Amino acid sequence: MKAILVPVLTWLGLLASAALSLWFGILATPVLAQDGPLRIEITEGVIEPMPYAVPAFVAETDGAAAFTEEVSRVVADDLNGTGLFREIPRDAHISRISSFNAPVPFADWKAINAQALVTGAVSTDANGRVVVKFRVWDVFAGQELGQGMQFVSTPDGVRRLAHKVADQVYSRLTGEAPYFDSRVVFISETGPKNERVKRMAIMDYDGANVQYLTNGASIVLAPRFSPDGSRILYTSYETGFPAVHVLNVGDVQSRILQPNDGVMSFAPRFSPDGATVVYSLTQGSNTDIWAMDIASATPRRLTASPAIETAPSYSPDGSQIVFESDRSGTQQLYIMPASGGEATRISFGQGRYGTPVWSPRGDLIAFTKQNAGRFHIGVMRTDGSEERLLTASFLDEGPTWAPNGRVIMFSRETQGAQGASALYSVDISGRNLKRVRTPAGASDPSWGPLQ
Amino acid sequence: MKHISKAFLLGAALAVAACSNANRFDDDMVGQDAAATRIDNGIIPGSVNDPRAPAYFNQTIGDRVFFEVDQSTLTAQARATLDAQAQWLTTNSDYLAVIEGHADEQGTREYNIALGARRANTVMEYLISRGIPANRLKFISYGKERPVEICSEEACYSKNRRSVTIISQGLTG
């Protein structure tokens, strides 16, 4: 096995964010015939995690040694965090990778039952940028899985480089779209329940790199990313009344979407093209759903029932809106055309259904369910069939989808006077429930796009 | 002579008011005359016993009414409280009111904002039906964001499912 590494062959694109620029390219590699590539099938049943190994990435330049441990650690944390992979600890490894280009001694990895192997190297270039290269190997077939790739960024983007590597590994081993290089906007919560201070914050999907976007002087609720991640809709009490605001992530400047004294607007969400906002507006005792073209600031009323209509969410093609209404007497889920009009009820189980969110794949709707004194996060098909509850607790609410539609993040508040809110994630199969690391209490997550 | 004694009584009234409730000093300025004449009746101006004082509105009448789970209809007790609030606001016509609606924590954030709005609006409409001009009233919902009691039991929830009438002096006084 001889892997020939040549300089970056193809520039696939330029990805820019406020914090860093990041480039990636494919490394040329001999094409190997593969029949039946290594693949973990994600099914609804219990699965046996795939054993894999990530030996420490090789430092190819003096400056790179500072990054190798962090990069390989983040790659492993991303993969382990899915519950689909089981890392074979380093102290069990037989061989060490001392050179990225050296042939892989597959027998040594077979001996410890590593089905997949991720090898990588880190270097720094003349401009001080960090370059990460990696390859994924099917150990038992003795073949490379896909092509080697490299990613480049400034040193402050090293974690993103690692997330990019892990995204590639995840995609190649599952066949699913990736989600690790993504961010979450949420509400950071401190203080007791009756004096809670709420600040909007943004972080990497795994809880790293938290940045605060508001100062806590006003109540802020339920932020929602725009489809491209550049803007955030949220509800703020800054004017004394709850109103929908829109914030530019780049310069952290915000404005009220629809200044209107004494009228409450809340529960906003972007349309898939980012041009329209759908939200709730309260007039008198009635809360209805409205849509507003952002450029022209022209609001349009979509529902006209005396009931409470709120928590609207577009289908990924933008043609429909799922929302909750208590027009039947209790909160239930309905779907209507994006232009308004007749709505079809889709939830019929026991209990109350709220905060529906359409999955990015379009096939499922996640929701909050309240039944018999417990709260659940669940999913159902868009016609209401195959309802599945994924969680149960004193208070779970506010689901948000990972960009690939495989994982849901939500808020969980604990019971009692000392109750606090935290973020959790769960696979749509109901497996792998785990807490997301945040510096303080946290609620109302909104998962942004893959960067 | 009458003028002098009135000034004397006013000074005494303000001194008492300042001692009993320093925060209400400014509010008491409105009721100077009434306070000055009533002090002889044993009523401490600005206190919960002074029918013209905000403290009387907040505590003697009661600034809040409570709701059943998921409901925004007014109980008989709530209507009695609101009748007294309306009467006070009619007498003290220079006061404005913002009605806050609140929900307990059993419910989603969005629904509770809408539910709190229903409650606050019900109260506002009741006060309007009792003759308070709509332009003196506003409502706002806090949903479940501002509980007064923090336990996760009905004893607390029943106090959190509330509307609170917050009065403030307008410019017309």
Side-chain angles (χ1 to χ4, degrees):
Chain A
M1 172 75 212
K2 191 173 156 192
I4 301 163
L5 188 70
V6 298
V8 172
L9 185 72
T10 317
W11 293 99
L12 283 182
L14 173 71
L15 302 164
S17 77
L20 73 140
S21 297
L22 187 143
W23 295 265
F24 66 99
I26 293 181
L27 304 174
T29 187
V31 177
L32 296 169
Q34 290 189 11
D35 43 85
L38 181 62
R39 173 66 59 89
I40 185 166
E41 293 296 338
I42 304 176
T43 60
E44 305 307 337
V46 174
I47 64 140
E48 185 64 29
M50 177 192 283
Y52 78 103
V54 188
F57 280 26
V58 178
E60 295 188 328
T61 58
D62 288 345
F67 303 112
T68 54
E69 187 53 37
E70 184 175 18
V71 170
S72 44
R73 192 68 258 145
V74 170
V75 170
D77 286 347
D78 282 347
L79 295 171
N80 298 343
T82 65
L84 301 172
F85 305 99
R86 180 171 59 78
E87 184 187 7
I88 296 169
R90 295 236 181 108
D91 56 16
H93 296 185
I94 295 167
S95 60
R96 289 193 45 185
I97 307 287
S98 52
S99 161
F100 184 61
N101 293 330
V104 173
F106 291 110
D108 288 352
W109 300 103
K110 278 183 200 169
I112 60 169
N113 194 34
Q115 292 187 29
L117 172 69
V118 181
T119 60
V122 183
S123 57
T124 46
D125 69 13
N127 299 318
R129 296 180 310 176
V130 180
V131 182
V132 173
K133 299 182 287 198
F134 75 96
R135 293 185 189 281
V136 188
W137 305 92
D138 176 344
V139 170
F140 284 80
Q143 291 178 349
E144 186 174 2
L145 202 60
Q147 288 184 301
M149 289 177 80
Q150 74 177 30
F151 300 105
V152 183
S153 103
T154 47
D156 59 350
V158 162
R159 286 186 70 92
R160 279 198 63 194
L161 294 179
H163 289 314
K164 284 266 173 223
V165 171
D167 274 335
Q168 283 294 322
V169 177
Y170 172 86
S171 278
R172 292 176 192 189
L173 293 175
T174 64
E176 300 280 340
Y179 65 92
F180 303 131
D181 184 26
S182 59
R183 297 206 283 179
V184 171
V185 60
F186 67 103
I187 300 299
S188 172
E189 299 194 359
T190 52
K193 272 166 126 176
N194 55 347
E195 258 178 280
R196 202 147 279 178
V197 175
K198 296 198 164 195
R199 300 171 72 190
M200 190 160 70
I202 196 168
M203 66 182 183
D204 296 349
Y205 98 99
D206 60 358
N209 295 319
V210 174
Q211 281 175 265
Y212 294 94
L213 304 174
T214 64
N215 62 14
S218 316
I219 299 174
V220 285
L221 304 174
R224 307 292 178 212
F225 261 122
S226 64
D228 66 359
S230 67
R231 290 167 296 161
I232 294 166
L233 287 166
Y234 64 105
T235 303
S236 170
Y237 282 68
E238 193 178 349
T239 62
F241 285 80
V244 174
H245 287 57
V246 59
L247 176 137
N248 238 335
V249 176
D251 58 10
V252 200
Q253 294 299 303
S254 73
R255 65 181 175 88
I256 299 183
L257 202 65
Q258 187 185 14
N260 207 340
D261 186 42
V263 175
M264 302 184 0
S265 60
F266 58 101
R269 253 182 227 283
F270 281 100
S271 61
D273 65 3
T276 304
V277 176
V278 65
Y279 58 100
S280 271
L281 192 74
T282 297
Q283 294 170 306
S285 66
N286 186 21
T287 298
D288 273 311
I289 292 171
W290 291 63
M292 186 165 95
D293 176 70
I294 299 175
S296 68
T298 314
R300 239 173 343 116
R301 186 176 183 157
L302 302 184
T303 63
S305 120
I308 289 173
E309 267 87 34
T310 188
S313 167
Y314 280 97
S315 61
D317 67 2
S319 70
Q320 293 173 290
I321 292 170
V322 62
F323 63 98
E324 63 169 86
S325 169
D326 67 357
R327 59 181 69 173
S328 73
T330 60
Q331 284 167 278
Q332 299 292 338
L333 306 184
Y334 295 80
I335 290 177
M336 67 177 170
S339 55
E342 196 174 336
T344 308
R345 179 170 165 179
I346 62 164
S347 61
F348 292 95
Q350 291 286 313
R352 303 158 48 155
Y353 297 79
T355 61
V357 194
W358 217 302
S359 87
R361 297 179 179 211
D363 57 340
L364 294 174
I365 287 165
F367 55 84
T368 305
K369 180 168 178 170
Q370 201 181 340
N371 188 33
R374 302 278 283 173
F375 277 77
H376 309 269
I377 301 297
V379 293
M380 61 172 64
R381 303 196 71 81
T382 57
D383 62 1
S385 65
E386 296 179 40
E387 176 178 327
R388 218 165 50 229
L389 299 183
L390 310 179
T391 73
S393 92
F394 167 69
L395 210 178
D396 287 350
E397 70 170 306
T400 180
W401 291 90
N404 73 348
R406 291 290 327 174
V407 181
I408 288 170
M409 200 179 286
F410 61 96
S411 313
R412 171 169 288 180
E413 175 110 15
T414 51
Q415 189 169 6
Q418 305 303 317
S421 190
L423 303 185
Y424 282 76
S425 66
V426 65
D427 199 272
I428 56 167
S429 64
R431 289 182 294 105
N432 203 35
L433 174 72
K434 63 196 178 79
R435 188 166 173 168
V436 179
R437 173 170 58 107
T438 51
S443 62
D444 293 1
S446 170
W447 209 321
L450 195 69
Q451 300 188 84
Chain B
M1 184 60 202
K2 188 173 186 212
H3 183 75
I4 291 167
S5 76
K6 199 169 175 183
F8 171 78
L9 283 169
L10 173 62
L14 290 177
V16 173
C19 291
S20 65
N21 193 343
N23 293 333
R24 297 299 178 188
F25 185 83
D26 288 342
D27 294 338
D28 295 334
M29 297 301 284
V30 178
Q32 285 170 5
D33 286 15
T37 51
R38 275 201 309 271
I39 192 166
D40 292 335
N41 301 332
I43 295 170
I44 300 168
S47 76
V48 296
N49 298 320
D50 174 2
R52 300 207 62 174
Y56 182 89
F57 182 93
N58 292 334
Q59 292 166 52
T60 308
I61 294 172
D63 62 354
R64 61 200 59 200
V65 299
F66 302 100
F67 297 86
E68 297 300 312
V69 176
D70 271 338
Q71 297 303 310
S72 56
T73 49
L74 298 171
T75 62
Q77 191 184 353
R79 283 196 300 274
T81 301
L82 295 177
D83 285 339
Q85 285 190 3
Q87 198 171 12
W88 192 93
L89 287 166
T90 302
T91 309
N92 298 278
S93 59
D94 54 336
Y95 275 82
L96 308 175
V98 175
I99 298 134
E100 296 179 352
H102 299 269
D104 66 33
E105 69 186 357
Q106 311 170 90
T108 56
R109 204 177 302 293
E110 291 83 355
Y111 188 80
N112 277 337
I113 290 175
L115 179 60
R118 256 187 195 164
R119 288 173 175 162
N121 184 70
T122 300
V123 167
M124 187 168 110
E125 287 184 347
Y126 189 85
L127 293 175
I128 291 170
S129 78
R130 286 295 179 272
I132 309 302
N135 64 9
R136 289 174 59 197
L137 304 174
K138 278 187 182 178
F139 76 90
I140 178 177
S141 174
Y142 285 96
K144 60 175 173 178
E145 304 303 319
R146 285 288 178 263
V148 284
E149 300 291 338
I150 60 174
C151 76
S152 297
E153 288 148 33
E154 178 55 23
C156 290
Y157 292 162
S158 62
K159 294 192 173 66
N160 291 335
R161 292 189 302 264
R162 70 197 190 279
S163 82
V164 185
T165 307
I166 309 284
I167 53 171
S168 63
Q169 251 180 308
L171 298 173
T172 53

